[in-house]
Amino acid sequence: MYFAKNLRFLRRRAELSQSALADKLSTDYNTISRYENGKSTPKLEALTKLSQLFRVGIDALRSHDLTQQPSVMPDRSPLGERREEENLPRPAQHPLLVSVELDGTASSLERAVARLTAINKVVAGTN
């Protein structure tokens, strides 16, 4: 009932764009947009990831208006908080597998290439 409203609230509170949240869920920003506009409902796997990312129970995410309960919510989302050691680059220990969803348009291909280029720069250490 409140999922779309809560997702938008939590994402904005964490200062994440739809694309940034989509990357964390291994999906695209259109999916996040559909969730936030109530046009689509996430499957259990995505709902579980969102619950873990925002440290909110699945029931609360779906059934309670979190915008009216700010005292229950932390001042900043855990996504915005990082310990110093988490900011250090980590060496790659495993091969990186990347999945890209394309919808057949030139713009989706451009977005995919831009994301893959950004990933390549991070992996190569050439930010």
Side-chain angles (χ1 to χ4, degrees):
M1 204 163 31
Y2 290 101
F3 175 74
K5 183 178 182 180
N6 287 337
L7 180 59
R8 177 170 281 141
F9 170 72
L10 292 169
R11 177 183 60 79
R12 287 179 175 172
R13 187 174 187 116
E15 299 176 0
L16 290 171
S17 66
Q18 288 180 338
S19 292
L21 180 57
D23 289 342
K24 291 183 181 299
L25 296 178
S26 303
T27 189
D28 61 22
Y29 76 93
N30 288 317
T31 301
I32 302 302
S33 177
R34 286 191 301 271
Y35 292 165
E36 289 184 0
N37 291 317
K39 294 180 181 177
S40 179
T41 305
K43 293 183 180 178
L44 182 58
E45 182 181 351
L47 197 55
T48 302
K49 284 182 182 180
L50 287 166
S51 173
Q52 291 169 346
L53 282 171
F54 294 118
R55 295 184 183 168
V56 175
I58 292 174
D59 184 54
L61 191 58
R62 295 180 62 217
S63 305
H64 302 286
D65 186 356
L66 298 177
T67 64
Q68 300 302 315
Q69 303 171 8
S71 61
V72 175
M73 300 297 297
D75 287 338
R76 279 189 58 94
S77 167
L79 296 173
E81 299 172 356
R82 293 207 170 146
R83 293 183 305 217
E84 190 172 322
E85 63 267 16
E86 290 177 333
N87 289 329
L88 299 175
R90 295 183 208 153
Q93 296 177 356
H94 304 286
L96 179 65
L97 299 175
V98 178
S99 174
V100 177
E101 293 182 65
L102 300 174
D103 62 7
T105 64
S107 62
S108 89
L109 179 60
E110 290 171 2
R111 284 191 308 273
V113 169
R115 287 183 179 167
L116 291 171
T117 301
I119 290 169
N120 189 46
K121 287 180 182 178
V122 170
V123 170
T126 59
N127 287 350

PDB file of all heavy atoms in Angstrom, residues 28 99-113 116:
ATOM      1  N   ASP A  28      17.817  -1.518 -13.728  1.00  0.00           N
ATOM      2  CA  ASP A  28      17.965  -0.214 -14.374  1.00  0.00           C
ATOM      3  C   ASP A  28      17.046   0.819 -13.705  1.00  0.00           C
ATOM      4  O   ASP A  28      16.157   0.478 -12.934  1.00  0.00           O
ATOM      5  CB  ASP A  28      17.700  -0.285 -15.880  1.00  0.00           C
ATOM      6  CG  ASP A  28      16.292  -0.745 -16.212  1.00  0.00           C
ATOM      7  OD1 ASP A  28      15.399  -0.621 -15.361  1.00  0.00           O
ATOM      8  OD2 ASP A  28      16.082  -1.225 -17.338  1.00  0.00           O
ATOM      9  N   SER A  99      26.063  -7.847 -15.945  1.00  0.00           N
ATOM     10  CA  SER A  99      24.916  -8.119 -16.793  1.00  0.00           C
ATOM     11  C   SER A  99      24.312  -6.777 -17.212  1.00  0.00           C
ATOM     12  O   SER A  99      24.158  -5.886 -16.387  1.00  0.00           O
ATOM     13  CB  SER A  99      23.889  -8.936 -16.015  1.00  0.00           C
ATOM     14  OG  SER A  99      22.726  -9.098 -16.770  1.00  0.00           O
ATOM     15  N   VAL A 100      23.980  -6.654 -18.482  1.00  0.00           N
ATOM     16  CA  VAL A 100      23.432  -5.404 -18.992  1.00  0.00           C
ATOM     17  C   VAL A 100      22.092  -5.708 -19.656  1.00  0.00           C
ATOM     18  O   VAL A 100      21.989  -6.617 -20.469  1.00  0.00           O
ATOM     19  CB  VAL A 100      24.391  -4.757 -20.026  1.00  0.00           C
ATOM     20  CG1 VAL A 100      23.783  -3.503 -20.600  1.00  0.00           C
ATOM     21  CG2 VAL A 100      25.732  -4.479 -19.401  1.00  0.00           C
ATOM     22  N   GLU A 101      21.062  -4.929 -19.275  1.00  0.00           N
ATOM     23  CA  GLU A 101      19.758  -5.074 -19.905  1.00  0.00           C
ATOM     24  C   GLU A 101      19.598  -3.986 -20.957  1.00  0.00           C
ATOM     25  O   GLU A 101      19.796  -2.813 -20.667  1.00  0.00           O
ATOM     26  CB  GLU A 101      18.641  -4.928 -18.871  1.00  0.00           C
ATOM     27  CG  GLU A 101      18.596  -6.045 -17.861  1.00  0.00           C
ATOM     28  CD  GLU A 101      17.454  -5.858 -16.901  1.00  0.00           C
ATOM     29  OE1 GLU A 101      16.286  -5.914 -17.357  1.00  0.00           O
ATOM     30  OE2 GLU A 101      17.733  -5.656 -15.721  1.00  0.00           O
ATOM     31  N   LEU A 102      19.250  -4.380 -22.156  1.00  0.00           N
ATOM     32  CA  LEU A 102      19.025  -3.426 -23.240  1.00  0.00           C
ATOM     33  C   LEU A 102      17.586  -3.554 -23.719  1.00  0.00           C
ATOM     34  O   LEU A 102      17.041  -4.650 -23.761  1.00  0.00           O
ATOM     35  CB  LEU A 102      19.990  -3.705 -24.401  1.00  0.00           C
ATOM     36  CG  LEU A 102      21.482  -3.623 -24.081  1.00  0.00           C
ATOM     37  CD1 LEU A 102      22.301  -4.058 -25.277  1.00  0.00           C
ATOM     38  CD2 LEU A 102      21.858  -2.216 -23.677  1.00  0.00           C
ATOM     39  N   ASP A 103      17.003  -2.433 -24.078  1.00  0.00           N
ATOM     40  CA  ASP A 103      15.633  -2.478 -24.568  1.00  0.00           C
ATOM     41  C   ASP A 103      15.562  -2.214 -26.077  1.00  0.00           C
ATOM     42  O   ASP A 103      14.489  -1.991 -26.610  1.00  0.00           O
ATOM     43  CB  ASP A 103      14.747  -1.505 -23.802  1.00  0.00           C
ATOM     44  CG  ASP A 103      15.173  -0.058 -23.959  1.00  0.00           C
ATOM     45  OD1 ASP A 103      16.074   0.236 -24.762  1.00  0.00           O
ATOM     46  OD2 ASP A 103      14.578   0.792 -23.275  1.00  0.00           O
ATOM     47  N   GLY A 104      16.697  -2.211 -26.741  1.00  0.00           N
ATOM     48  CA  GLY A 104      16.708  -2.045 -28.185  1.00  0.00           C
ATOM     49  C   GLY A 104      16.812  -0.613 -28.664  1.00  0.00           C
ATOM     50  O   GLY A 104      16.817  -0.368 -29.869  1.00  0.00           O
ATOM     51  N   THR A 105      16.910   0.335 -27.755  1.00  0.00           N
ATOM     52  CA  THR A 105      17.034   1.727 -28.167  1.00  0.00           C
ATOM     53  C   THR A 105      18.485   2.179 -28.075  1.00  0.00           C
ATOM     54  O   THR A 105      19.286   1.605 -27.327  1.00  0.00           O
ATOM     55  CB  THR A 105      16.174   2.656 -27.279  1.00  0.00           C
ATOM     56  OG1 THR A 105      16.672   2.599 -25.938  1.00  0.00           O
ATOM     57  CG2 THR A 105      14.711   2.248 -27.308  1.00  0.00           C
ATOM     58  N   ALA A 106      18.790   3.200 -28.827  1.00  0.00           N
ATOM     59  CA  ALA A 106      20.151   3.739 -28.809  1.00  0.00           C
ATOM     60  C   ALA A 106      20.494   4.313 -27.435  1.00  0.00           C
ATOM     61  O   ALA A 106      21.624   4.180 -26.963  1.00  0.00           O
ATOM     62  CB  ALA A 106      20.302   4.818 -29.883  1.00  0.00           C
ATOM     63  N   SER A 107      19.512   4.923 -26.791  1.00  0.00           N
ATOM     64  CA  SER A 107      19.787   5.522 -25.476  1.00  0.00           C
ATOM     65  C   SER A 107      20.108   4.450 -24.434  1.00  0.00           C
ATOM     66  O   SER A 107      20.958   4.661 -23.570  1.00  0.00           O
ATOM     67  CB  SER A 107      18.630   6.394 -25.012  1.00  0.00           C
ATOM     68  OG  SER A 107      17.459   5.626 -24.858  1.00  0.00           O
ATOM     69  N   SER A 108      19.461   3.284 -24.497  1.00  0.00           N
ATOM     70  CA  SER A 108      19.778   2.231 -23.527  1.00  0.00           C
ATOM     71  C   SER A 108      21.171   1.689 -23.788  1.00  0.00           C
ATOM     72  O   SER A 108      21.907   1.375 -22.855  1.00  0.00           O
ATOM     73  CB  SER A 108      18.735   1.119 -23.540  1.00  0.00           C
ATOM     74  OG  SER A 108      19.024   0.113 -24.457  1.00  0.00           O
ATOM     75  N   LEU A 109      21.570   1.621 -25.047  1.00  0.00           N
ATOM     76  CA  LEU A 109      22.926   1.187 -25.378  1.00  0.00           C
ATOM     77  C   LEU A 109      23.947   2.202 -24.885  1.00  0.00           C
ATOM     78  O   LEU A 109      24.973   1.837 -24.309  1.00  0.00           O
ATOM     79  CB  LEU A 109      23.066   0.980 -26.891  1.00  0.00           C
ATOM     80  CG  LEU A 109      24.453   0.548 -27.377  1.00  0.00           C
ATOM     81  CD1 LEU A 109      24.858  -0.773 -26.742  1.00  0.00           C
ATOM     82  CD2 LEU A 109      24.474   0.438 -28.887  1.00  0.00           C
ATOM     83  N   GLU A 110      23.668   3.485 -25.050  1.00  0.00           N
ATOM     84  CA  GLU A 110      24.579   4.530 -24.560  1.00  0.00           C
ATOM     85  C   GLU A 110      24.718   4.473 -23.045  1.00  0.00           C
ATOM     86  O   GLU A 110      25.827   4.599 -22.514  1.00  0.00           O
ATOM     87  CB  GLU A 110      24.067   5.914 -24.979  1.00  0.00           C
ATOM     88  CG  GLU A 110      24.188   6.173 -26.465  1.00  0.00           C
ATOM     89  CD  GLU A 110      23.478   7.455 -26.902  1.00  0.00           C
ATOM     90  OE1 GLU A 110      22.929   8.165 -26.043  1.00  0.00           O
ATOM     91  OE2 GLU A 110      23.490   7.734 -28.110  1.00  0.00           O
ATOM     92  N   ARG A 111      23.605   4.256 -22.330  1.00  0.00           N
ATOM     93  CA  ARG A 111      23.671   4.139 -20.865  1.00  0.00           C
ATOM     94  C   ARG A 111      24.506   2.929 -20.460  1.00  0.00           C
ATOM     95  O   ARG A 111      25.306   2.997 -19.539  1.00  0.00           O
ATOM     96  CB  ARG A 111      22.270   4.033 -20.258  1.00  0.00           C
ATOM     97  CG  ARG A 111      21.515   5.342 -20.207  1.00  0.00           C
ATOM     98  CD  ARG A 111      20.253   5.231 -19.365  1.00  0.00           C
ATOM     99  NE  ARG A 111      19.368   4.126 -19.734  1.00  0.00           N
ATOM    100  CZ  ARG A 111      18.419   4.196 -20.659  1.00  0.00           C
ATOM    101  NH1 ARG A 111      18.201   5.313 -21.312  1.00  0.00           N
ATOM    102  NH2 ARG A 111      17.672   3.149 -20.924  1.00  0.00           N
ATOM    103  N   ALA A 112      24.308   1.822 -21.151  1.00  0.00           N
ATOM    104  CA  ALA A 112      25.063   0.601 -20.834  1.00  0.00           C
ATOM    105  C   ALA A 112      26.554   0.813 -21.066  1.00  0.00           C
ATOM    106  O   ALA A 112      27.386   0.430 -20.236  1.00  0.00           O
ATOM    107  CB  ALA A 112      24.551  -0.575 -21.672  1.00  0.00           C
ATOM    108  N   VAL A 113      26.894   1.429 -22.177  1.00  0.00           N
ATOM    109  CA  VAL A 113      28.308   1.702 -22.472  1.00  0.00           C
ATOM    110  C   VAL A 113      28.901   2.642 -21.430  1.00  0.00           C
ATOM    111  O   VAL A 113      30.016   2.420 -20.942  1.00  0.00           O
ATOM    112  CB  VAL A 113      28.478   2.276 -23.905  1.00  0.00           C
ATOM    113  CG1 VAL A 113      29.880   2.803 -24.125  1.00  0.00           C
ATOM    114  CG2 VAL A 113      28.140   1.212 -24.937  1.00  0.00           C
ATOM    115  N   LEU A 116      29.413   0.607 -18.220  1.00  0.00           N
ATOM    116  CA  LEU A 116      30.520  -0.329 -18.365  1.00  0.00           C
ATOM    117  C   LEU A 116      31.861   0.401 -18.389  1.00  0.00           C
ATOM    118  O   LEU A 116      32.854  -0.076 -17.829  1.00  0.00           O
ATOM    119  CB  LEU A 116      30.341  -1.184 -19.630  1.00  0.00           C
ATOM    120  CG  LEU A 116      29.192  -2.184 -19.560  1.00  0.00           C
ATOM    121  CD1 LEU A 116      28.964  -2.818 -20.926  1.00  0.00           C
ATOM    122  CD2 LEU A 116      29.442  -3.237 -18.505  1.00  0.00           C
TER     123      LEU A 116
END
